[in-house]
């Protein structure tokens, strides 16, 4: 038997999570046909100043404004690419399909890339650029607070064979992109600064950041590592061979396979391949990207 | 009374919330602050800057954890992953007690990220108390629950908000984080006597007190934490201190955050009430009063 408490909470959550109108007010008629004023009056008491619906509306607005604000903080690049109106329409659809299932707002955008990949029509002709921007912005969030594991001992490198394994630090994220969105996000993030995360204060007014709109961006294939140094997140462009090697390490392949995959179809001669390997591994070790296998 | 089993038998004085805009000032100036309250969820991560900052703070200051999403009043089960991460953080901060809200915010695994009001029913009190007991057992530290500001009341309620709070904390045998600003805000929105609320609280269970500012709109008052504390809220604080004794106090300021000095100065106004309490108890005041509330 469903408890009275659960019934009430389901009823209120459904009302609170119902999307707002374009004028950012509570809908008169819910999408399932329920009349919101009647629905609110079933479980919320009116008082001398506010009807049941007006009291419900405070929570309905707070829900959407808090979530929009969180997504704006996490995806400033997407906001710049889409503009506020389209951004909010896309986010409303996203949250309607994937409401938060985590205790932390940090995870709110965790399914956005997957959602947009299967709803390209929502972002029109910009879908490829949008996917690149969202992929990079989510990688940035993950790199920011990922765990750090100990680097391999120097002697480990001395004994490396084709069967040896390495791991990448969880803060290293690899992306294959069609647009130079790294430059775009660097300039956007520099202009907006940082903001606080969770708090417990209320707001029924919009907290909107200033948008920097993006002009036309020409496509360019690039391979990127998002990584963390001294607690700040950086973007580093990679050669395709480096990208493939890092992907192989991340996938847990033995180093022999990692090298084989990296140079498949490459026109690079053997001497150059050896130089690249030496240079790349030295750089990754210096940057602290590698950690010992478990 | 101020040092009690619900705050780990500590006497923490007056603290402020740890907020990003103040990091630079804190690390450069190293101000004397009795303690900082952190929002637990901001540090329940695997690594990176949030934990680095926290560790630096922990090297120099006392920290108490305050949560925003345990949702002790939700009808659904507690989130195991949330509890696991919370326990990791408790071990890191060594918080002597932990607070979260007497509210709900999730149902069927969907989170609203809001502090939604409880229906004041005996069923809700029982469910909530059971969850608080479970959290206390799991975390192995005292829990204190905070009364929230609310903007709606339910037809099904069977008692007043303060009766509900007492019912929950007695069934759970937990502490209270008494937010006098929230009492004031809710009293404006629901038309009850805020002083009656304060007078009805079991003083021996109060582990901590919150003070904050709010915003008045035409038809309701909102708990915005973006203003100084107003005189009627200071009066509720005074009465609470008279009843509870010199209790750990924290100023919340979460929006339009002014300089560190301004926030700290506002918080330290609480000391004049704490000192009065010390004097009446025959204890020499320990603080320097920055300014007198009500004399501005």
């Amino acid at each position: 038997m469903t408890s009275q408490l659960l019934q009430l909470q389901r009823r209120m959550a459904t009302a609170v999570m119902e999307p707002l109108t374009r004028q950012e007010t509570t809908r008169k008629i819910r999408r399932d046909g329920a009349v919101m004023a009647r629905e609110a009056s079933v479980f919320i008491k009116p008082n001398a100043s506010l009807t049941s619906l007006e009291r419900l509306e405070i929570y309905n607005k707070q829900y959407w404004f808090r979530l929009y604000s969180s997504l704006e903080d996490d995806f400033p690049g997407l906001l710049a690419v889409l503009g506020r109106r389209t951004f909010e329409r896309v986010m409303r659809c996203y949250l309607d399909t994937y409401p938060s299932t985590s205790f932390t707002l940090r995870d709110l955008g965790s399914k956005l890339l997957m959602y947009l990949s299967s709803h390209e029509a929502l972002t029109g002709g910009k879908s490829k650029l949008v996917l690149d921007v969202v992929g990079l912005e989510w990688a940035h969030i993950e790199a920011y607070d990922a765990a750090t594991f100990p680097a391999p001992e120097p002697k480990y490198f001395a004994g490396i064979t084709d069967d040896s394994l390495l791991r990448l630090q969880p803060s290293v994220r690899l992306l294959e992109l069609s647009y130079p969105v790294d430059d775009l996000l660097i300039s956007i993030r520099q202009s907006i600064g940082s903001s606080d995360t969770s708090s417990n204060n209320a707001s029924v007014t919009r907290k909107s950041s200033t948008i920097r709109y993006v002009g036309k961006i020409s496509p360019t294939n690039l391979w990127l590592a998002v990584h963390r140094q001294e607690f700040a997140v950086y973007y580093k462009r990679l050669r395709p061979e480096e990208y493939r090697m890092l992907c192989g390490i991340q996938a847990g392949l033995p180093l022999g396979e990692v090298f084989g995959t990296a140079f498949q179809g490459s026109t690079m001669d053997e001497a150059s391949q050896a130089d690249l390997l030496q240079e790349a591994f030295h750089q990754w070790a210096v940057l602290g990207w590698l950690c010992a296998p478990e | 009374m101020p040092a009690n089993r619900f705050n780990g038998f500590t006497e923490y004085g007056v603290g402020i919330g740890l907020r990003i805009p103040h990091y630079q000032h804190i690390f450069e100036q190293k101000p004397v602050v009795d303690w900082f309250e952190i929002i637990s969820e901001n540090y329940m991560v695997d690594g990176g800057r949030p934990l680095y900052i926290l560790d630096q703070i922990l090297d120099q200051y006392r920290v108490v954890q305050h949560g925003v999403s345990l949702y002790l009043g939700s009808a659904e089960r507690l989130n195991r992953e949330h509890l696991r991460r919370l326990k990791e953080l408790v071990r890191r901060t060594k918080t002597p007690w932990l607070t979260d809200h007497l509210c709900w915010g999730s149902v069927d695994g969907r989170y609203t990220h809001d502090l939604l009001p409880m229906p004041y029913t005996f069923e809700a009190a029982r469910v909530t108390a059971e969850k608080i007991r479970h959290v206390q057992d799991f975390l192995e530290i005292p829990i204190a629950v905070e009364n929230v500001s609310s903007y709606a009341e339910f037809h099904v309620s069977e008692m007043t908000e303060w009766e509900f709070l007492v019912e929950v904390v007695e069934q759970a045998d937990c502490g209270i984080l008494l937010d006098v600003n929230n009492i004031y805000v809710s009293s404006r929105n629901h038309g009850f006597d805020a002083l009656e609320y304060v007078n009805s609280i079991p003083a021996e269970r109060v582990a901590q007190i919150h003070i904050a500012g709010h915003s008045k709109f035409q038809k309701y008052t909102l708990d915005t934490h973006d203003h100084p504390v107003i005189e009627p809220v200071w009066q509720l604080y005074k009465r609470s201190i008279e009843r509870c004794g010199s209790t750990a106090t924290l100023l919340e300021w979460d929006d339009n955050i002014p300089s560190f000095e301004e926030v700290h100065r506002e918080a330290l106004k609480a000391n004049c009430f704490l000192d009065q309490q010390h004097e009446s108890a025959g204890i020499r005041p320990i603080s320097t009063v920055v300014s007198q509330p009500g004399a501005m």
Side-chain angles (χ1 to χ4, degrees):
Chain A
M1 197 180 77
T2 311
S3 73
Q4 184 195 48
L5 180 64
L6 181 58
Q7 279 179 354
L8 184 138
Q9 291 182 348
R10 280 183 176 152
R11 194 161 202 162
M12 181 148 176
T14 303
V16 164
M17 294 162 97
E18 176 75 13
L20 300 169
T21 64
R22 278 191 186 174
Q23 291 72 40
E24 298 189 333
T25 57
T26 293
R27 291 168 185 240
K28 287 194 169 72
I29 310 286
R30 216 162 58 187
R31 290 168 303 172
D32 62 6
V35 177
M36 279 291 243
R38 194 179 307 144
E39 175 65 9
S41 69
V42 170
F43 61 98
I44 294 178
K45 278 189 196 173
N47 67 6
S49 318
L50 297 169
T51 63
S52 303
L53 181 65
E54 286 171 328
R55 297 183 110 180
L56 175 66
E57 186 170 44
I58 296 172
Y59 290 105
N60 189 199
K61 284 184 174 180
Q62 278 192 174
Y63 171 75
W64 286 100
F65 293 170
R66 189 186 296 269
L67 267 49
Y68 283 153
S69 165
S70 176
L71 288 166
E72 271 188 28
D73 282 349
D74 288 349
F75 297 95
L78 181 62
L79 179 63
V81 168
L82 294 179
R84 173 154 286 121
R85 208 165 150 182
T86 308
F87 178 85
E88 288 185 357
R89 183 170 55 82
V90 169
M91 292 308 173
R92 187 175 63 235
C93 296
Y94 167 63
L95 291 170
D96 214 25
T97 310
Y98 292 111
S100 172
T101 55
S102 167
F103 60 87
T104 168
L105 281 169
R106 181 254 187 223
D107 297 339
L108 194 60
S110 61
K111 300 185 183 90
L112 186 58
L113 184 62
M114 180 180 74
Y115 176 77
L116 292 175
S117 302
S118 55
H119 293 81
E120 292 192 4
L122 274 177
T123 49
K126 292 177 175 174
S127 61
K128 220 166 185 172
L129 172 63
V130 161
L131 293 180
D132 274 6
V133 170
V134 171
L136 180 51
E137 294 196 300
W138 183 247
H140 187 113
I141 290 168
E142 293 209 297
Y144 177 72
D145 58 14
T148 305
F149 295 111
E153 299 287 332
K155 64 181 179 194
Y156 184 84
F157 288 108
I160 268 181
T161 67
D162 275 0
D163 296 327
S164 298
L165 296 171
L166 280 170
R167 280 190 304 157
L168 281 189
Q169 293 287 359
S171 57
V172 179
R173 303 280 154 169
L174 303 168
L175 297 167
E176 187 170 4
L177 302 165
S178 308
Y179 288 89
V181 291
D182 50 346
D183 289 340
L184 171 71
L185 283 190
I186 287 166
S187 67
I188 288 173
R189 283 188 172 270
Q190 276 170 348
S191 66
I192 57 173
S194 176
S195 67
D196 213 334
T197 45
S198 294
S199 66
N200 59 359
N201 62 319
S203 174
V204 286
T205 50
R206 296 300 306 269
K207 285 182 223 167
S208 296
S209 48
T210 310
I211 305 181
R212 226 195 82 178
Y213 290 97
V214 175
K216 192 169 165 51
I217 300 179
S218 303
T220 312
N221 285 335
L222 63 98
W223 296 267
L224 201 69
V226 179
H227 66 115
R228 198 172 73 213
Q229 293 291 306
E230 295 294 322
F231 308 107
V233 175
Y234 294 89
Y235 309 147
K236 180 174 167 45
R237 291 190 180 185
L238 305 167
R239 281 170 285 201
E241 292 84 1
E242 287 178 288
Y243 172 81
R244 287 196 289 270
M245 278 194 278
L246 288 165
C247 285
I249 294 171
Q250 198 168 50
L253 298 180
L255 288 180
E257 272 186 60
V258 167
F259 302 146
T261 314
F263 297 107
Q264 225 164 34
S266 171
T267 52
M268 211 180 270
D269 60 53
E270 278 193 19
S272 304
Q273 288 182 11
D275 287 347
L276 174 62
L277 277 181
Q278 194 167 14
E279 186 195 330
F281 270 81
H282 173 72
Q283 200 167 57
W284 302 338
V286 169
L287 289 169
W289 290 5
L290 302 170
C291 45
E294 282 174 285
Chain B
M1 188 140 63
N4 58 36
R5 66 189 173 99
F6 303 109
N7 57 26
F9 298 100
T10 59
E11 300 225 26
Y12 262 30
V14 179
I16 61 172
L18 181 65
R19 299 290 178 264
I20 289 175
H22 295 158
Y23 283 174
Q24 193 179 353
H25 178 91
I26 294 167
F27 292 128
E28 285 176 6
Q29 305 297 321
K30 302 189 187 335
V32 175
V33 182
D34 288 347
W35 58 287
F36 282 111
E37 184 184 78
I38 61 163
I39 301 288
S40 301
E41 286 77 0
N42 291 346
Y43 302 91
M44 287 159 65
V45 293
D46 293 329
R49 187 172 162 79
L51 293 182
Y52 168 73
I53 294 284
L54 179 61
D55 287 343
Q56 282 193 298
I57 292 289
L58 288 168
D59 278 347
Q60 299 172 57
Y61 296 99
R62 299 185 295 191
V63 162
V64 175
Q65 283 181 228
H66 179 54
V68 294
S69 60
L70 260 179
Y71 297 142
L72 298 161
S74 282
E76 67 185 1
R77 286 181 173 199
L78 288 159
N79 179 327
R80 301 293 304 174
E81 173 63 8
H82 188 162
L83 285 179
R84 187 189 64 75
R85 285 183 175 269
L86 195 54
K87 188 156 187 170
E88 259 178 45
L89 189 63
V90 163
R91 286 185 178 136
R92 190 176 204 114
T93 64
K94 299 182 175 58
T95 182
W97 74 96
L98 179 139
T99 62
D100 207 308
H101 299 83
L102 183 52
C103 72
W104 68 281
S106 60
V107 66
D108 298 323
R110 296 178 301 159
Y111 283 71
T112 65
H113 300 282
D114 201 352
L115 309 174
L116 298 176
M118 295 298 297
Y120 307 132
T121 65
F122 289 99
E123 183 208 1
R126 180 183 51 76
V127 169
T128 308
E130 265 174 31
K131 292 176 79 173
I132 296 168
R133 278 186 176 275
H134 185 100
V135 173
Q136 282 190 144
D137 287 349
F138 184 78
L139 297 181
E140 301 175 294
I141 54 163
I143 305 292
V145 292
E146 178 183 349
N147 56 294
V148 297
S149 288
S150 63
Y151 318 105
E153 300 162 289
F154 299 108
H155 292 297
V156 293
S157 287
E158 298 163 330
M159 59 191 104
T160 62
E161 183 186 332
W162 55 93
E163 286 167 343
F164 180 76
L165 173 59
V166 174
E167 187 72 24
V168 169
V169 296
E170 287 184 350
Q171 281 191 41
D173 193 20
C174 71
I176 296 172
L177 164 49
L178 191 65
D179 191 317
V180 288
N181 177 60
N182 287 350
I183 292 177
Y184 179 81
V185 168
S186 293
S187 76
R188 302 279 303 179
N189 290 330
H190 308 315
F192 62 73
D193 180 359
L195 204 56
E196 187 185 351
Y197 192 135
V198 171
N199 286 334
S200 304
I201 294 301
E204 71 281 4
R205 287 189 181 273
V206 176
Q208 182 190 331
I209 298 180
H210 266 174
I211 48 177
H214 56 258
S215 299
K216 285 179 184 167
F217 293 87
Q218 198 183 349
K219 290 182 168 183
Y220 58 90
T221 302
L222 207 59
D223 181 31
T224 46
H225 298 178
D226 58 354
H227 286 85
V229 182
I230 64 167
E231 185 56 25
V233 173
W234 281 122
Q235 289 308 312
L236 291 177
Y237 178 70
K238 179 172 184 273
R239 178 61 188 144
S240 303
I241 292 298
E242 282 168 5
R243 293 200 63 236
C244 306
S246 176
T247 305
T249 300
L250 182 116
L251 171 73
E252 293 183 294
W253 203 315
D254 292 309
D255 214 344
N256 301 323
I257 301 176
S259 68
F260 177 89
E261 289 98 333
E262 194 176 331
V263 173
H264 198 204
R265 200 159 45 237
E266 182 68 14
L268 290 177
K269 289 178 184 173
N271 272 330
C272 75
F273 301 107
L274 296 171
D275 288 346
Q276 282 169 16
Q277 181 59 29
H278 277 119
E279 278 172 21
S280 65
I283 303 165
R284 208 170 119 253
I286 51 169
S287 62
T288 305
V289 178
V290 172
S291 66
Q292 175 89 25
M296 291 170 286

